[in-house]
């Protein structure tokens, strides 16, 4: 049953109160089925967005708010174009983030996941998910998000889990998944591999340790092979404990200092192992001593060099960051303790050179804050090169367009330099890797359905891999897994590929690129045709928002105080694609005022339209329209064309700003004020025309504004004469048949300029707002225009009707008047007598000019004194001259004023 809309069309509240309207309007829309694409009918062209799934236990922050605002704007805009608009919502299980929260809760209860075991732990996590997953949905509803909640998905749903299984097995069958040794970011505290995304580099004060790599023997040419040498290579490191895992020392092939040493061996301090000196152009000759120790087991760059030169990988650390048996005497020590002890031992052995302070980038775990250790480990990987090539082609051939375009270069650069993707995580919460190991034959069974026996030897002794998949593996399938893939569902057929992927530019690689590669690999189609990237939100001074800076703005608090529309409009008009935006509370407050302005203007129109008046549409009889009507209809037509163009170009911010300006200035401040003359007048026909234009333009502008500020526009629209039940289901307006009227626009511009000029003079002379003043106009060629519309000028400029005089040319220029000349050579004379107290004004100016004359005289004396002009610095003298000229100019202006005053 559809809910009731809490709006009485015959009783419009005096002020707009978001709290009274937002929730009931949202519930009403939803109950009417407007959020479902089916409402557009079976033949409608689909327009589909998959909502980037927020973390299941998350709370709404500004990043979500801007994402939801932009996507809802696109969805509402396309819905109004008659498209089958589908916005698929959902949440992400967020492996490590969620697991950590549950682990923290367990710790507070005095237990741990190891203690309660995997099964119990997963039960707890599911319960946690059930408890908190509703929050983010509720918060999206508050934002006005018109997504189809019946199609809401969760990355660990039964269906989506099947999609993950299918994807993994497919890749395995295609030879694109393998198990291998790899250097990963290991978090010793969390006991898991963490993705690059979860590592933050903090610049910290560290040390650079210089030490000696002793040559194992003299050069063969010296004939002293086999004997220890006094020769050494100086090497520098920031992490001495990794010396224990060194398997080479590398120098640049063109470095003359070391060329003769390449191919010889050096001795690893303390351990006494011999390792080769190799040449590699990767080495930076300028850094440190120009020689680099190579530790493939503990550094990602060294790992790559090691592969190239076939160096052995020696791992010296355990997974808890203590040293292992490869560390010799340091076995069992913590990594930092080992650093101290090893260096002391090397010092004692005379192998150290010096220690210098050094700023370095320390990789720290985003979650735990501890130093992440690069560690070699057996993990599952996806071979990315073939997938990346398809992803590159899809953008190169235009199947996918990235907005703003400059991000295409970044996308290409990432995919061209892609590394294999480590997809296994040592976590419990997530999609478990569908691989079973056989205890009898050692073979692996990779299966879509949980197997009961080994495929190789039929042994029942099989055990599933304990690890789970990286969260991005399942979110990479999001656009099609949410529509039913791998099954051939009606939704998948109708709504895939989706239309736009909208998200922050910071996850272009982590998420967007992976969706593109996954979509192409599994479905054979690009998952979306357009990628729209928005920027990050910063505070009003452009600083990143963070808890430590205390400048975080909570969108929920903003919505409580100012209403959802004010927040949405601020986010939507403050941003340009791909650019960061600075958010200030003043802007939000200003946009709350804009919403009130819309409400008040609508209320005025409603109260002056009467119930008898029904239709805002239909054709216009041009001869019945006044100049202001023709003008506002022409401006309205221009606005629709311009806003539509901007929306189609994804330039939402500019579209919103144009709507704001049009509504506030042209419609509310000018047209409504001008229309009042007819509304309050006696001419019934003129009254009817004004009403009709008011309703027509207002109703259309509410439609144009609806995707930006859905609540206030719907609430206001319900009070206007309208067709249909809801504003959100009305068609996007098109320009009226009246077209553009250049003449009317030019003429109105002139009238507006005139009124503004008079208003400016009034404020310059501090004339009371209510006071009516006299005016004489020398109109020249515009005599007819001005005479015909003098009522408007008299009303809006607050002129005395009986003291208003217009002529093509004035026989006699009015004395004691302020004169202003505007476009078209129109001269405006405002007699001062009625505006101000002439005597007081004269006295005031005389006093001011006397002061100026005094300063001028003093300045002249100074400048005629050779002691000053010759001895003071030239710049000082020059400044004095400029000051004098300025004072003289001010004085002459006042004399002019005094002349006007007579
Ligand atoms: Zn077996």
């Amino acid at each position: 049953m559809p809910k009731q809309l809490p709006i009485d069309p015959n009783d419009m509240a005096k002020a707009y109160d978001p709290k009274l309207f937002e929730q009931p309007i949202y519930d009403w829309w939803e109950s009417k089925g407007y959020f479902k694409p089916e409402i557009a009918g079976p033949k409608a062209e689909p327009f589909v967005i998959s909502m980037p799934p927020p973390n299941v236990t998350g709370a709404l922050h500004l990043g979500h708010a801007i994402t939801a605002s932009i996507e809802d704007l696109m969805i509402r805009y396309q819905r109004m174009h008659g498209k089958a608009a589908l916005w698929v919502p959902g949440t992400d299980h967020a492996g490590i983030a969620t697991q950590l929260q549950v682990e923290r809760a367990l710790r507070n209860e005095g237990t741990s996941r190891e203690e309660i075991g995997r099964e119990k732990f997963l039960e707890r996590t599911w319960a946690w998910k059930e408890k908190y997953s509703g929050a983010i949905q509720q918060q999206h509803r508050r934002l006005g998000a018109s997504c189809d909640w019946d199609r809401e998905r969760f990355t660990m749903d039964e269906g989506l889990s099947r999609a993950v299984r299918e994807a993994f097995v497919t890749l395995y069958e295609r030879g694109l998944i393998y198990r291998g040794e790899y250097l990963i970011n290991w978090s010793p505290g969390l006991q898991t591999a963490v993705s690059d995304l979860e590592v933050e580099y903090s610049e910290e004060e560290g040390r650079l340790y210089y030490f000696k790599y002793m040559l194992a023997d003299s050069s063969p040419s010296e004939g002293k092979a086999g004997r220890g040498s006094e020769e050494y290579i100086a090497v520098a490191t920031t992490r001495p404990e990794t010396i224990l895992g060194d398997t080479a020392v590398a120098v640049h092939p063109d470095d003359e200092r070391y060329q003769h040493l390449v191919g010889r061996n050096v001795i690893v301090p303390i351990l006494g192992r011999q390792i080769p000196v190799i040449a590699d152009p990767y080495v930076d000759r300028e850094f440190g001593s120009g020689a680099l120790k190579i530790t493939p087991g503990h550094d990602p760059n060294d790992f790559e060099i090691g592969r190239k030169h076939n160096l052995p990988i020696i791992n010296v650390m355990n997974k808890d960051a203590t040293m292992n048996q490869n560390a010799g005497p340091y076995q069992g020590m913590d990594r930092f303790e080992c650093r101290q002890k090893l260096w002391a031992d090397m010092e004692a052995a005379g192998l150290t050179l010096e220690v210098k302070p050094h700023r370095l980038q320390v990789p720290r775990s985003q979650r735990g804050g501890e130093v992440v250790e690069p560690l070699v480990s057996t993990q599952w990987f996806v071979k990315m090169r073939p997938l990346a090539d398809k992803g590159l082609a899809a953008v190169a051939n235009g199947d996918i367009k990235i907005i703003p375009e400059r991000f295409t270069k970044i996308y290409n650069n990432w995919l061209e330099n892609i590394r294999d993707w480590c997809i296994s995580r040592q976590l419990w919460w997530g999609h478990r890797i569908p691989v079973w190991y056989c205890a009898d034959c050692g073979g692996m069974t990779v299966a879509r359905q949980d197997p009961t026996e080994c495929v190789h030897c039929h042994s029942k002794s099989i055990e599933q891999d304990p690890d789970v998949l990286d969260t991005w593996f399942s979110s990479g399938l999001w656009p099609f897994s949410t529509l039913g893939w791998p099954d051939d569902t009606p939704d998948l057929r109708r709504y895939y590929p989706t239309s736009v992927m909208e998200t922050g530019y910071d996850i272009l690689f982590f998420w967007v690129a992976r969706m593109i590669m996954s979509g192409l690999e599994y479905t054979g189609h690009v998952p979306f045709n357009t990628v729209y990237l928005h920027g990050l939100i910063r505070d009003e001074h452009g600083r990143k928002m963070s808890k430590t800076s205390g400048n975080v703005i909570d969108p929920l608090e903003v919505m409580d105080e100012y209403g959802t529309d004010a927040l949405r409009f601020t986010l939507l008009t403050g941003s340009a694609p791909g650019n960061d935006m600075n958010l200030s509370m003043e802007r939000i407050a200003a946009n709350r005022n804009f919403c009130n302005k819309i409400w008040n203007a609508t209320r005025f129109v409603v109260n002056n339209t009467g119930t008898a008046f029904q239709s805002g549409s239909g054709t216009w009889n041009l001869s019945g329209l006044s100049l202001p009507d023709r003008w506002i209809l022409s401006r309205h037509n221009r606005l629709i064309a311009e806003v539509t163009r901007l929306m189609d170009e994804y330039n939402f911010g500019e579209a919103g700003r144009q709507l704001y300006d049009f509504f506030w200035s042209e419609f509310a401040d000018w047209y409504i004020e001008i229309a009042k003359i007819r509304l309050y007048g006696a001419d019934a026909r003129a009254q009817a025309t004004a009403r009709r234009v008011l309703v027509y333009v207002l109703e259309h502008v509410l439609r144009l504004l609806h995707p930006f500020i859905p609540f206030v526009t719907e609430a206001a629209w319900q009070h206007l004469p309208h067709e249909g039940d809801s504003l959100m289901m009305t068609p996007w307006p098109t320009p009226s048949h009246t077209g553009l009227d250049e003449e009317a626009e030019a003429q109105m511009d002139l009238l507006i300029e005139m009124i503004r000029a008079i208003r400016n003079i009034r404020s310059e002379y501090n004339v009371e707002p209510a006071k009516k003043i006299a005016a004489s106009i020398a109109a020249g060629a515009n005599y007819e225009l001005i005479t015909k519309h003098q009522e408007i000028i008299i009303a809006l400029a607050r002129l005395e009707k009986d003291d208003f005089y217009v002529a093509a040319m004035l026989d006699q220029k009015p004395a004691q008047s302020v004169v202003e000349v505007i476009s078209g050579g129109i001269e405006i004379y405002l007699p001062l007598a009625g505006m101000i107290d002439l005597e007081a004004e004269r006295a005031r100016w005389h006093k001011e000019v006397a002061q100026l004359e005094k300063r001028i005289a003093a300045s002249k004396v100074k400048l005629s004194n050779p002691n000053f002009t010759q001895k003071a610095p030239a710049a000082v003298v020059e400044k004095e001259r400029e000051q004098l000229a300025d004072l003289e100019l001010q004085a002459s202006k006042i004399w002019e004023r005094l002349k006007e005053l007579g």
Side-chain angles (χ1 to χ4, degrees), residues 75-148:
I75 284 283
R76 285 179 188 270
Y77 175 67
Q78 298 294 343
R79 192 184 284 124
M80 291 173 85
H81 278 86
K83 301 238 178 99
L86 170 59
W87 187 13
V88 184
T91 42
D92 194 295
H93 67 280
I96 194 163
T98 310
Q99 173 155 338
L100 280 177
Q101 293 203 39
V102 177
E103 284 192 48
R104 197 169 305 141
L106 290 175
R107 221 172 17 251
N108 291 339
E109 295 165 23
T111 179
S112 69
R113 74 172 157 122
E114 289 82 5
E115 209 168 289
I116 65 170
R118 187 165 192 145
E119 205 173 315
K120 276 259 150 27
F121 178 78
L122 289 178
E123 267 171 36
R124 277 292 297 259
T125 314
W126 274 106
W128 179 279
K129 182 252 166 195
E130 294 307 329
K131 188 170 168 194
Y132 291 101
S133 66
I136 198 96
Q137 193 211 75
Q138 222 30 60
Q139 290 159 353
H140 271 115
R141 287 168 180 273
R142 270 209 72 184
L143 274 173
S146 58
C147 34
D148 185 355

Side-chain angles (χ1 to χ4, degrees), residues 159-222:
L160 273 70
S161 299
R162 220 147 43 74
V164 166
R165 191 63 83 87
E166 177 67 28
F168 186 97
V169 179
T170 302
L171 285 185
Y172 184 79
E173 287 168 352
R174 290 178 188 170
L176 292 172
I177 269 189
Y178 66 94
R179 204 170 181 229
E181 292 253 292
Y182 208 75
L183 204 70
I184 51 163
N185 303 305
W186 180 262
S187 167
L190 302 173
Q191 285 287 302
T192 179
V194 290
S195 72
D196 294 341
L197 183 70
E198 292 153 342
V199 176
E200 277 178 351
Y201 289 86
S202 72
E203 195 174 293
E204 293 175 19
E205 206 57 64
R207 289 174 183 168
L208 196 55
Y209 298 81
Y210 286 81
F211 66 99
K212 299 175 183 172
Y213 246 117
M214 304 303 298
L215 269 295
D217 44 44
S218 309
S219 80
S221 60
E222 285 170 30

Side-chain angles (χ1 to χ4, degrees), residues 438 441 454 457:
C438 177
C441 75
C454 170
C457 72

Side-chain angles (χ1 to χ4, degrees), residues 437-445 453-459 461-462:
Y437 305 102
C438 177
D440 291 327
C441 75
M444 282 192 292
T445 303
E453 56 174 47
C454 170
V455 284
H456 309 286
C457 72
H458 303 292
S459 159
S461 305
I462 54 170

Side-chain angles (χ1 to χ4, degrees), residues 528-766:
F528 30 73
N529 305 113
T530 303
V531 174
Y532 176 97
L533 300 168
H534 64 252
L536 311 180
I537 304 175
R538 297 169 181 278
D539 76 1
E540 59 190 314
H541 308 294
R543 294 173 311 184
K544 215 172 161 178
M545 285 191 189
S546 70
K547 277 186 193 145
T548 44
S549 312
N551 58 354
V552 176
I553 294 176
D554 179 353
L556 295 166
E557 282 172 20
V558 172
M559 286 189 278
D560 283 343
E561 191 174 347
Y562 298 98
T564 296
D565 290 328
L567 174 66
R568 284 178 60 128
F569 201 71
T570 308
L571 295 174
L572 289 167
T573 53
S575 63
N579 290 346
D580 292 351
M581 72 171 288
N582 299 348
L583 183 65
S584 77
M585 293 309 285
E586 276 115 82
R587 281 239 50 85
I588 296 170
N591 287 326
R592 187 255 330 263
N593 297 344
F594 178 53
C595 294
N596 286 336
K597 182 88 178 178
I598 292 170
W599 186 259
N600 291 336
T602 307
R603 192 159 182 275
F604 173 83
V605 171
V606 168
N607 290 342
N608 288 282
T609 307
T611 46
F613 187 76
Q614 281 306 319
S615 173
S617 56
T619 53
W620 298 97
N621 174 9
L622 287 173
S623 65
L625 298 174
S626 70
L627 172 64
D629 299 334
R630 284 162 53 212
W631 165 72
I632 199 74
L633 287 172
S634 178
R635 295 295 304 153
H636 150 277
N637 286 342
R638 245 183 236 288
L639 178 77
I640 292 176
E642 191 61 7
V643 168
T644 307
R645 178 182 70 79
L646 291 166
M647 296 287 275
D648 289 339
E649 289 173 1
Y650 297 90
N651 201 340
F652 309 127
E654 183 54 28
R657 286 188 288 274
Q658 293 208 3
L659 284 165
Y660 180 100
D661 289 344
F662 177 87
F663 192 94
W664 199 296
S665 170
E666 289 168 290
F667 182 69
D669 286 354
W670 291 102
Y671 186 76
I672 288 186
E673 290 307 311
I674 293 169
K676 280 179 183 171
I677 301 166
R678 280 178 290 166
L679 292 174
Y680 302 154
D683 183 341
R685 219 151 138 199
Q687 212 174 50
T689 310
R691 284 174 175 170
R692 199 175 149 207
V693 176
L694 277 169
V695 171
Y696 177 81
V697 174
L698 174 59
E699 202 264 348
H700 277 187
V701 182
L702 290 180
R703 291 196 217 180
L704 297 172
L705 280 165
H706 178 73
F708 292 85
I709 42 177
F711 292 112
V712 68
T713 50
E714 177 78 89
W717 185 85
Q718 290 291 339
H719 292 91
L720 282 177
H722 60 253
E723 285 161 17
D725 288 339
S726 167
L727 175 60
M728 74 174 278
M729 300 310 293
T730 55
W732 186 253
T734 49
S736 82
H737 70 98
T738 53
L740 300 182
D741 191 333
E742 308 270 359
E743 189 194 49
E745 289 191 31
Q747 291 181 343
M748 270 304 290
D749 280 351
L750 208 60
L751 296 183
I752 288 173
E753 190 185 346
M754 215 168 141
I755 295 163
R756 279 202 173 121
I758 298 171
R759 285 177 175 172
N760 285 345
I761 295 167
R762 291 179 63 120
S763 85
E764 216 173 300
Y765 283 85
N766 292 317

